[in-house]
Amino acid sequence: MSYRIPFNKPFIVGRELHYMAEAVSAGQIGGAGRFVQACEGLMEKRFGAERVLLTTSCTSALEMAAILCNLEPGDEVILPSYTFVSTANAFLLQGAKLVFVDIRPDTLNLDESHMDSAITDRTRVIVPVHYAGVPAEMNAVNRIAGQRGLMVVEDAAQGVNARYHDAYQGTMGDFGCYSFHETKNFTCGEGGALVVRNPDHIQRAEYIRQDGTNRHEFLHGMVECDEWMDLGASYLLPELLAAFLYAQLENMDQITSRRQAVYHRYHENLVPLEQRGDIRLPFIPGGCTINYHMFYILLPSEPVRAALIEHLKARGILAVFHYVSLHASPMGLSMGYRKGMLPVTEDVSDRLLRLPLYFDLTDTQVDEVTSAIRNFFCGGKQELPVLIR
Ligand SMILES: *Cc1c(COP(=O)(O)O)cnc(C)c1O
């Protein structure tokens, strides 16, 4: 089914197709070439990161980070249950035991107050997820990790170009993982990046990214031939996709300011419904510069959410929800978790709804979505001021 206002839509902001043609004419569409280097250099400079390695996805970046954490079977990893499956799978693949903790009801990020009871002498890693590009409480996470000698892997899939105080998301932990999936702010269809903070980890990360070989060193004339050095897989983003991505990264400010305008318009149009108590809007803590990745609303209950989704669908608008709690999914239950264990996660998972938000979404379309939502709650009655200009 196609929607008049889809949830997400691919967009071209600048020289994406031109750069792809350039990569083809230059004779390199795979491997790491000029555009891979340009994307990595741009992010290292802008985000103040020691090293950024482009990967085929955020899933790949998380898998690389999990390998770099040197886990042993039975080592424990603390993560939220309200996240995408890759956050969990990456560590499970390394034989770790997953310790799901509940989220804060305000930011929907890892609740640091549960950390003490979750940490045991087998804990090795904490994985904060920056949901909706709103930062997790990194000062608290890093303080706890420092005291207990734990690694921190940030799942900043949604947080590219967002800041917590002065630091960019992804640069505050030992490793940070970005996504350039088509639903994210900056995209090349499928793509990601691993941010490495400690220079000592860079060489090994390079090996892991190219099938566990030192191909990188060979291509730079540092070794005679490339050899098998370590664990690894095919995690390098191909040059052809890096060419597309580079055009989006070059225009990061333009993309962000359009998303900001959409976000603020949603917010402004929906505040009256929040004041009536019909919905709750996103909470942004002080000291944060968000990237306007997502606009969500919290509905009073799951049935109300289901009815609103149908109401919007009937008007050609697609709104979606996500994160069926990992701990309460079949895989989570098989690990011994039960429904009821993480009440905030389960509650939010039932009530959250994401509204369409993409670069080409127009002001008129935003108004259409919000007036459909107002109409859902207020019927035909004009109980609210008319906000559509
Ligand atoms: C999108 C997303 C991922 C996965 O990103 P891919 O690039 O699709 O692998 C992981 N974690 C979170 C929180 C995400 O939003």
Side-chain angles (χ1 to χ4, degrees), residues 18 63 98 105 120 152 156 201 204 252 268 313 339 373:
H18 177 89
E63 289 181 17
L98 304 181
T120 71
V152 174
H201 290 303
R204 187 158 185 237
M252 222 180 247
E268 200 182 311
K313 263 187 191 160
K339 222 174 159 46
I373 297 172

Side-chain angles (χ1 to χ4, degrees), residues 238-249:
E239 182 68 3
L240 189 65
L241 289 182
F244 190 99
L245 181 64
Y246 187 63
Q248 301 234 325
L249 297 180

Side-chain angles (χ1 to χ4, degrees), residues 126 262 379:
I126 304 176
V262 169

Side-chain angles (χ1 to χ4, degrees), residues 266-303:
Y266 269 134
H267 194 274
E268 200 182 311
N269 288 359
L270 291 172
V271 155
L273 285 181
E274 183 174 53
Q275 285 163 350
R276 278 168 42 116
D278 290 327
I279 61 174
R280 205 203 88 187
L281 298 176
F283 169 77
I284 315 297
C288 301
T289 311
I290 61 164
N291 60 356
Y292 309 98
H293 171 60
M294 188 190 301
F295 197 93
Y296 68 78
I297 57 177
L298 281 168
L299 283 314
S301 69
E302 193 171 21

Side-chain angles (χ1 to χ4, degrees), residues 48-341:
E50 177 64 30
R51 183 77 174 98
V52 174
L53 294 165
L54 279 192
T55 60
T56 47
S57 62
C58 182
T59 302
S60 308
L62 285 160
E63 289 181 17
M64 288 178 65
I67 295 172
L68 286 157
C69 286
N70 284 320
L71 296 172
E72 285 171 15
D75 281 351
E76 294 175 6
V77 174
I78 294 176
L79 73 167
S81 163
Y82 193 68
T83 182
F84 187 60
V85 286
S86 299
T87 323
N89 277 328
F91 293 93
L92 207 51
L93 282 165
Q94 295 307 308
K97 180 183 168 203
L98 304 181
V99 178
F100 292 115
V101 300
D102 216 349
I103 50 173
R104 296 168 55 113
D106 54 2
T107 60
L108 316 187
N109 285 322
L110 209 61
D111 188 337
E112 65 279 6
S113 72
H114 297 319
M115 219 66 82
D116 272 338
S117 53
I119 293 176
T120 71
D121 54 8
R122 293 305 306 268
T123 308
R124 296 288 174 270
V125 188
I126 304 176
V127 191
V129 175
H130 305 299
Y131 183 70
V134 176
E137 286 300 320
M138 287 307 290
N139 285 345
V141 169
N142 278 341
R143 188 182 59 247
I144 295 165
Q147 284 163 354
R148 307 278 194 132
L150 311 176
M151 310 274 279
V152 174
V153 175
E154 294 178 72
D155 181 339
Q158 303 177 11
V160 182
N161 197 40
R163 271 175 294 159
Y164 177 70
H165 301 288
D166 290 333
Y168 279 91
Q169 286 177 31
T171 67
M172 295 172 276
D174 294 281
F175 302 105
C177 304
Y178 292 152
S179 176
F180 304 115
H181 182 261
E182 65 173 341
T183 54
K184 303 302 201 287
N185 290 24
F186 318 106
T187 177
C188 55
E190 293 271 6
L194 177 71
V195 183
V196 182
R197 189 178 65 185
N198 182 341
D200 295 344
H201 290 303
I202 295 172
Q203 186 187 47
R204 187 158 185 237
E206 296 270 16
Y207 293 163
I208 294 167
R209 179 168 67 156
Q210 299 209 57
D211 307 286
T213 70
N214 58 354
R215 165 152 265 266
H216 165 79
E217 290 162 358
F218 172 64
L219 294 174
H220 285 79
M222 292 150 72
V223 290
E224 294 279 305
C225 64
D226 51 332
E227 292 184 285
W228 188 19
M229 307 294 285
D230 209 314
L231 267 184
S234 180
Y235 288 136
L236 171 66
L237 186 75
E239 182 68 3
L240 189 65
L241 289 182
F244 190 99
L245 181 64
Y246 187 63
Q248 301 234 325
L249 297 180
E250 268 186 337
N251 291 292
M252 222 180 247
D253 291 330
Q254 191 191 336
I255 294 170
T256 305
S257 76
R258 181 57 207 152
R259 296 185 75 98
Q260 177 178 20
V262 169
Y263 184 101
H264 281 152
R265 198 171 183 93
Y266 269 134
H267 194 274
E268 200 182 311
N269 288 359
L270 291 172
V271 155
L273 285 181
E274 183 174 53
Q275 285 163 350
R276 278 168 42 116
D278 290 327
I279 61 174
R280 205 203 88 187
L281 298 176
F283 169 77
I284 315 297
C288 301
T289 311
I290 61 164
N291 60 356
Y292 309 98
H293 171 60
M294 188 190 301
F295 197 93
Y296 68 78
I297 57 177
L298 281 168
L299 283 314
S301 69
E302 193 171 21
V304 172
R305 177 175 74 179
L308 176 58
I309 291 173
E310 284 313 310
H311 177 88
L312 293 172
K313 263 187 191 160
R315 285 154 186 76
I317 300 164
L318 181 61
V320 302
F321 61 85
H322 69 169
Y323 301 153
V324 177
S325 316
L326 293 184
H327 73 282
S329 61
M331 191 69 172
L333 296 177
S334 78
M335 295 171 192
Y337 286 94
R338 293 287 169 264
K339 222 174 159 46
M341 282 181 168

